[in-house]
Amino acid sequence: MAAFVESVVTKAGLETLDIDEVLLVGGSSNIPKLASNIQFIFPESTVVQAPSLDSKLDNPNELTSKGAALQASMIESFDAEEIAESLQPVVVNTFHVVKPIGIKNSDGEFVQIISRETAYPIRKTITLEASADNILIELYEGKRTIKETVIEAEKYSDDEDSEEEEPEIVKELKYIPGELLGQLAVRGAGKGNKVEVIVNITRDGKLQITARSGAVVVKGEVQSA
């Protein structure tokens, strides 16, 4: 089972660390061992939805039919022409950002504003506190890294001959500042004042950034290479 699940994730071009939630459907979803095995495959941050883990969940045998019914209810008010238009490639093949976009804070850490796989056009805002009268805002693509934390196994006996368990390695998906996309200097922001940073991606893929602090407004556009 583990090999099959991991192969499905790999075929999708992802890793188990990329999965936020797993929903089990069908009769086998009621098997406690299946749910626990899938929990073991994914990191602790991934939510596994299964009846054996949460008795308040809907009957897994009915989820497929419920999903079909919900979809049908959403489109039943549209006529055939409107449905055909909604299936055009320009609608179905939505453009999206491949990597997250964000800024670097004073500690050098990546602060995400737009997450990966976000469809555009999109407009996101983040509010910062100015650390000086004049500040430089740097816009980055996030670079994916895997942080590994080693958790030493507990020793249950003082006997020197007792076998020690292998330490556990916990993997965590983390983004750091990658490629620098652009810089925006905000002069006269005022130390301690709030600075609103707005990142906008237009329908044709233009990346725009705006910084606003009181009456001070600075705008810029990232030119594609």
Side-chain angles (χ1 to χ4, degrees), residues 75-87:
I75 65 174
E76 59 91 17
S77 60
F78 297 96
D79 58 32
E81 184 178 346
E82 290 173 322
I83 294 175
E85 289 180 357
S86 69
L87 296 176

Side-chain angles (χ1 to χ4, degrees), residues 15 17 43 109 143-150 169-176:
E15 294 183 19
L17 289 169
E109 298 174 334
K143 181 180 179 181
R144 173 197 175 98
T145 61
I146 303 296
K147 178 183 177 182
E148 294 188 352
T149 303
V150 178
I169 300 178
V170 178
K171 294 183 179 182
E172 178 186 0
L173 179 61
K174 188 178 179 65
Y175 285 96
I176 61 175

Side-chain angles (χ1 to χ4, degrees), residues 25-182:
V25 300
S28 59
S29 303
N30 293 293
I31 303 174
K33 185 67 174 177
L34 175 66
S36 61
N37 285 345
I38 290 180
Q39 272 189 317
F40 182 76
I41 296 170
F42 293 92
E44 292 183 1
S45 58
T46 302
V47 178
V48 178
Q49 302 276 14
S52 60
L53 302 175
D54 186 351
S55 59
K56 294 179 291 185
L57 291 178
D58 291 337
N59 186 337
N61 292 321
E62 301 173 353
L63 290 178
T64 302
S65 57
K66 279 187 175 181
L70 286 171
Q71 185 67 22
S73 69
M74 292 171 62
I75 65 174
E76 59 91 17
S77 60
F78 297 96
D79 58 32
E81 184 178 346
E82 290 173 322
I83 294 175
E85 289 180 357
S86 69
L87 296 176
Q88 295 297 316
V90 69
V91 177
V92 177
N93 300 330
T94 307
F95 294 105
H96 60 275
V97 295
V98 178
K99 298 180 180 180
I101 296 173
I103 60 175
K104 183 167 66 175
N105 64 14
S106 57
D107 296 326
E109 298 174 334
F110 179 73
V111 179
Q112 180 175 278
I113 299 177
I114 298 178
S115 59
R116 64 183 293 271
E117 302 299 333
T118 297
Y120 59 82
I122 184 69
R123 178 186 176 94
K124 288 284 187 176
T125 302
I126 188 173
T127 302
L128 311 171
E129 183 176 309
S131 57
D133 289 335
N134 303 318
I135 61 172
L136 179 66
I137 298 172
E138 296 180 323
L139 194 66
Y140 287 88
E141 272 188 344
K143 181 180 179 181
R144 173 197 175 98
T145 61
I146 303 296
K147 178 183 177 182
E148 294 188 352
T149 303
V150 178
I151 301 177
E152 296 295 337
E154 295 184 9
K155 189 176 182 180
Y156 297 100
S157 172
D158 294 331
D159 186 356
E160 293 183 358
D161 296 329
S162 63
E163 294 184 1
E164 293 187 0
E165 294 185 7
E166 292 289 333
E168 180 184 2
I169 300 178
V170 178
K171 294 183 179 182
E172 178 186 0
L173 179 61
K174 188 178 179 65
Y175 285 96
I176 61 175
E179 181 182 351
L180 177 64
L181 299 175

